[in-house]
């Protein structure tokens, strides 16, 4: 019986893993289907990355993000699933993520109105902000895309986005992603591409992310399956 249960659990685990393996997730530089675990399970550089914590930031390093488009503009896509219940409204503009090297700093943060706003040079960028404030319940998937035409923030789906044509940079190799320590607990999943994902690709990526079972759900499913097998054996 033990051998049967072990085989069953292994098969179920392989099945879950296979169902989660999809093209856009795999083409990321690095991806976390369970960010709190600290172990990257997607991406072409997933085995190289490390997560360390300073007093102020969670720091992702060990991978390089150096995709370039027209006119050597950097192209990059950062996608996160956020647990809104774990985000407190900040008293000052706070970095959600900051992609940087020694000379450039780009990303997105949360302002005092609980709205997402672009980041440049470690500070809020003076441009359009997301009109809709973050809610306080449930999960929200966002994708922040930079490239030749500036930066887009996709808010929950591929049809809802906010553009800033001036927020862009060029010929820079990003080697660190900084996440504010106070906001890191709100991140459920994280995927980073060094490519300019199109609107259709953002929709596809969000669908792929949504198809990944939550760790707790997967574990409960396996326990239920094992209990059912034990009950049948006793009968």
């Amino acid at each position: 019986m033990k051998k049967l249960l072990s085989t069953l659990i292994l098969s179920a685990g392989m099945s879950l893993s296979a169902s989660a393996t999809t093209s856009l997730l795999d083409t990321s530089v690095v991806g976390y289907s369970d960010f709190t675990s600290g172990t990257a399970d997607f991406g072409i550089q997933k085995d190289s990355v490390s997560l360390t914590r300073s007093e102020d930031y969670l720091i992702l390093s060990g991978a390089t993000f150096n995709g370039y488009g027209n006119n050597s503009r950097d192209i990059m896509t950062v996608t996160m699933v956020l647990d809104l219940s774990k985000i407190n409204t900040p008293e000052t503009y706070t970095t959600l993520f900051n992609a940087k090297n020694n000379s450039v700093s780009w990303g997105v943060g949360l302002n005092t109105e609980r709205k997402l706003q672009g980041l440049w040079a470690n500070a809020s960028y003076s441009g359009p902000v997301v009109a809709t404030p973050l809610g306080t319940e449930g999960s929200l998937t966002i994708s922040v895309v930079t490239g030749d035409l500036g930066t887009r923030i996709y808010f929950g789906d591929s049809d809802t986005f906010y553009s800033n044509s001036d927020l862009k940079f060029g010929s820079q190799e990003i080697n660190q992603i900084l996440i504010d320590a106070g906001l890191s607990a709100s991140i459920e999943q994280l995927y980073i591409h060094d490519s300019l994902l199109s609107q259709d690709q953002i929709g596809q990526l969000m669908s792929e992310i949504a198809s990944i079972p939550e760790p707790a759900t997967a574990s409960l499913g396996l326990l239920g399956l094992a209990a059912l097998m034990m009950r049948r054996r006793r009968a």
Side-chain angles (χ1 to χ4, degrees):
M1 182 62 182
K2 290 182 179 179
K3 184 176 180 180
L4 175 61
L5 286 176
S6 297
T7 303
L8 189 62
I9 291 173
L10 178 61
S11 299
M14 291 175 66
S15 175
L16 289 173
S17 177
S19 67
T21 302
T22 45
S23 60
L24 279 174
L25 295 177
D26 284 334
T27 59
S28 62
V29 174
V30 62
Y32 298 80
S33 63
D34 176 16
F35 188 66
T36 58
S37 71
T39 302
D41 53 350
F42 287 98
I44 58 177
Q45 295 186 42
K46 66 178 182 180
D47 296 326
S48 303
V49 299
S50 62
L51 282 173
T52 55
R53 185 178 291 270
S54 69
E55 183 177 351
D56 297 319
Y57 295 104
L58 191 64
I59 304 166
L60 190 156
S61 56
T64 56
F65 310 93
N66 57 352
Y68 304 120
N70 295 333
N71 302 314
S72 295
R73 290 291 184 186
D74 287 58
I75 52 177
M76 188 175 186
T77 303
V78 179
T79 302
M80 294 179 171
V81 181
L82 301 174
D83 181 345
L84 300 178
S85 67
K86 295 182 179 179
I87 299 178
N88 295 321
T89 305
E91 296 181 0
T92 60
Y93 178 86
T94 302
T95 302
L96 179 57
F97 80 85
N98 186 356
K100 64 181 303 179
N101 62 15
N102 293 329
S103 60
V104 72
S105 175
W106 164 89
V108 72
L110 191 65
N111 65 25
T112 57
E113 296 180 339
R114 206 179 173 87
K115 296 178 179 179
L116 295 175
Q117 185 174 358
L119 177 148
W120 184 258
N122 298 314
S124 58
Y125 188 75
S126 57
V129 298
V130 173
T132 305
L134 297 181
T136 57
E137 297 180 357
S139 295
L140 175 71
T141 302
I142 65 168
S143 284
V144 185
V145 184
T146 190
D148 306 326
L149 301 179
T151 294
R152 276 187 174 184
I153 302 175
Y154 289 88
F155 195 78
D157 58 60
S158 60
D159 293 325
T160 305
F161 61 86
Y162 302 84
S163 298
N164 192 322
S165 60
D166 294 324
L167 185 53
K168 55 191 175 184
F169 55 101
S171 301
Q172 301 289 336
E173 183 176 277
I174 299 299
N175 52 35
Q176 280 190 334
I177 305 293
L178 274 59
I179 298 167
D180 184 84
L183 295 176
S184 62
S186 68
I187 301 173
E188 296 179 336
Q189 298 183 47
L190 170 67
Y191 305 92
I192 305 172
H193 291 75
D194 62 351
S195 57
L196 180 63
L197 297 189
S198 67
Q199 185 174 0
D200 288 342
Q201 287 176 317
I202 291 296
Q204 180 185 342
L205 178 61
M206 288 186 175
S207 294
E208 293 176 3
I209 289 171
S211 71
I212 297 175
E214 296 180 9
T217 303
S219 298
L220 286 174
L222 290 176
L223 287 173
L225 199 56
L228 179 61
M229 293 301 297
M230 292 179 69
R231 182 176 180 182
R232 286 184 174 178
R233 180 170 175 80
R234 287 174 184 170

